[in-house]
Amino acid sequence: MNPTITSVLLAFFFGWFFWQLYGRFGALAKMASEGRWDRPWRRLGLVFSIGLGQSKLVGPRKERRAGVMHAFIFWGALLVGLREMILMGEGFVEGFQELLPGLGADSPLAYGYVALVNGAELAVAYMVGVALYRRLVKRYARLDLNWQGIYVLLFIMGIVTTDLAYDAVRYALAAQGGAVHLLQSPVWGSEVDWAPVSRLLAGLVSGLGADWLDGLRQGLFWGHLVIMLSFLNVLPNTKQFHELTALPNVFFGALNRPHAPIPRLDLEDEQAWEAGAVGVNRLEQLTWKQGLDFLSCTECGRCYDSCPTYLTGKPLTQKWFNQSLLAYFKEEQANLLKTGKAGEAKTLVGDVISPDTLWACTTCRACEEACPVSIEHVPRVIGMRQGQTLMGEAYPPEMANAFKGLERNGNPWGIGYDQRADWARDEPVTILDGPVTEEVEVVMWVGCMG
């Protein structure tokens, strides 16, 4: 096409894109450390099953239709990704695909790939239409009706439709004897035979003259390239950023079942007390994985349907929790990148996350089971509660008596040590108190709740 124009476009858009990534991931790296590199093969297995296989989306029966819709968009995007690289190469060398190993005119893989991409783009266009219908017509409560969610889908639609149209015009021009490079093989035939969707569309423009078709081909090529590169730079500023972070988030997800344990606090660490670092009190005290969590949120709202807090009308959804943290992260990105700390203008609990929201969570972790990208919601909730309780002495008043009882008597009810066994005074049980000299088969530990 034109190497100079292609070089300028790629340099500008990719430069802008990587600058945005530097800001996002550079700030993320300044957050608290956390080890997530153990058992790499197990982690890769989760990437294939949950990430590439979309098992959490297509598995549950209740979510299967929406899950299949997303899965086809995702799988189609993977196939189209290589196609975009080929088109960028076409800007420098016509017939760039033949320079790639296994994709030359003499390889059956090349024709199979043409057929796969042609069908995948049609499937993606259809599924994007379904997604727009769900947002604009059905209006499911858990899907936010906002312009961002709509223009992201329109970008995807624009990418696949302009590519289908570009091939259609190429095929129509080639049929009129135009100088267009096509894959041709005495064994496998022409690539036109392997692209039924674009071949069908070519019939719609076959009546145009060669000059019109060549101008349309040029316009569709550059238009497609600009749409695709613009979309690349839209990603870091929308929920669609999960296209880049979801698979890494699954890789670094919890391997423990049912979920990752909550780290124990070192209450003897004097430096932590002096630094206000007992529990989570500031943005930078969240770990980089917890930051990757809210960057990866797809805003699908599946946590709505499984959350007992939301379903009973309490002021909490984990999606809103993610959105609030992400908005604050973006505000403080420059400060995190420069100093490793968020500014002092806002408090993490109070200004960003409402105390009522924080304490509404039941910590049941149903949201984590439902999340298709392995976001771990509960550890950060507990970390913030620890910070509020231990550093700020701020907690619901209903908990005051429980804390007082634990501090003074070792149980939330405040029952004195000399009264712990009173419940059994008139019962035919033996109480083991002091050194035990007799053998027993069963010991019942009552604990506090018993």
Side-chain angles (χ1 to χ4, degrees), residues 282-351:
R282 294 177 56 80
L283 179 64
E284 66 270 15
Q285 291 169 348
L286 291 169
T287 70
W288 63 265
K289 172 58 173 68
Q290 291 169 333
L292 189 63
D293 277 342
F294 57 68
L295 284 171
S296 302
C297 180
T298 69
E299 299 184 15
C300 66
R302 282 172 173 78
C303 49
Y304 280 35
D305 295 341
S306 58
C307 177
T309 301
Y310 175 76
L311 294 175
T312 53
K314 307 297 192 304
L316 168 72
T317 74
Q318 293 296 348
K319 185 175 85 168
W320 298 340
F321 208 104
N322 281 329
Q323 290 171 331
S324 298
L325 289 175
L326 177 58
Y328 185 43
F329 174 84
K330 289 179 178 179
E331 288 179 17
E332 296 295 338
Q333 179 177 297
N335 287 327
L336 283 171
L337 191 61
K338 185 176 181 179
T339 68
K341 294 183 178 181
E344 302 291 342
K346 289 184 178 180
T347 58
L348 189 58
V349 178
D351 294 326

Side-chain angles (χ1 to χ4, degrees), residues 155-424:
F155 258 114
I156 298 172
M157 181 72 82
I159 289 171
V160 295
T161 54
T162 54
D163 193 28
L164 288 170
Y166 170 66
D167 277 345
V169 171
R170 286 174 59 233
Y171 299 159
L173 184 58
Q176 295 186 18
V180 178
H181 180 275
L182 296 177
L183 295 176
Q184 300 278 359
S185 166
V187 178
W188 307 107
S190 168
E191 73 171 81
V192 179
D193 303 323
W194 294 80
V197 180
S198 291
R199 186 176 70 235
L200 181 64
L201 293 175
L204 301 178
V205 294
S206 59
L208 298 177
D211 290 340
W212 276 97
L213 287 173
D214 190 54
L216 190 55
R217 178 178 70 103
Q218 296 273 349
L220 284 168
F221 176 84
W222 295 115
H224 174 85
L225 205 59
V226 169
I227 291 172
M228 184 270 294
L229 292 172
S230 298
F231 179 63
L232 190 67
N233 283 277
V234 163
L235 293 182
N237 298 294
T238 67
K239 71 182 186 68
Q240 215 63 21
F241 194 48
H242 75 264
E243 289 190 16
L244 302 179
T245 59
L247 292 182
N249 204 56
V250 171
F251 178 84
F252 291 118
L255 299 180
N256 310 73
R257 299 300 298 169
H259 302 279
I262 305 301
R264 297 185 64 179
L265 297 178
D266 181 4
L267 298 179
E268 304 301 322
D269 186 349
E270 295 183 4
Q271 291 183 341
W273 285 102
E274 291 174 2
V278 180
V280 175
N281 303 283
R282 294 177 56 80
L283 179 64
E284 66 270 15
Q285 291 169 348
L286 291 169
T287 70
W288 63 265
K289 172 58 173 68
Q290 291 169 333
L292 189 63
D293 277 342
F294 57 68
L295 284 171
S296 302
C297 180
T298 69
E299 299 184 15
C300 66
R302 282 172 173 78
C303 49
Y304 280 35
D305 295 341
S306 58
C307 177
T309 301
Y310 175 76
L311 294 175
T312 53
K314 307 297 192 304
L316 168 72
T317 74
Q318 293 296 348
K319 185 175 85 168
W320 298 340
F321 208 104
N322 281 329
Q323 290 171 331
S324 298
L325 289 175
L326 177 58
Y328 185 43
F329 174 84
K330 289 179 178 179
E331 288 179 17
E332 296 295 338
Q333 179 177 297
N335 287 327
L336 283 171
L337 191 61
K338 185 176 181 179
T339 68
K341 294 183 178 181
E344 302 291 342
K346 289 184 178 180
T347 58
L348 189 58
V349 178
D351 294 326
V352 180
I353 302 296
S354 165
D356 289 340
T357 297
L358 179 68
W359 291 100
C361 179
T362 67
T363 69
C364 69
R365 287 183 148 168
C367 53
E368 295 181 7
E369 287 291 339
C371 181
V373 292
S374 301
I375 293 176
E376 297 162 43
H377 303 277
V378 171
R380 64 191 179 198
V381 169
I382 293 179
M384 292 182 199
R385 287 178 176 179
Q386 290 170 335
Q388 288 293 287
T389 301
L390 297 171
M391 297 301 304
E393 295 186 8
Y395 42 80
E398 295 86 351
M399 300 178 67
N401 288 334
F403 286 153
K404 188 181 296 181
L406 286 168
E407 181 179 4
R408 294 181 179 178
N409 295 297
N411 66 85
W413 314 115
I415 299 172
Y417 285 96
D418 60 336
Q419 301 170 336
R420 295 290 291 273
D422 285 359
W423 67 274

Side-chain angles (χ1 to χ4, degrees), residues 69 128-146 149-150 153:
M69 174 199 71
V128 167
V130 173
L132 286 169
Y133 174 78
R134 284 166 54 83
R135 283 184 177 274
L136 298 175
V137 180
K138 296 290 286 187
R139 295 194 178 186
Y140 289 95
R142 73 185 195 192
L143 296 176
D144 295 336
L145 182 60
N146 55 39
I150 295 169
L153 290 170

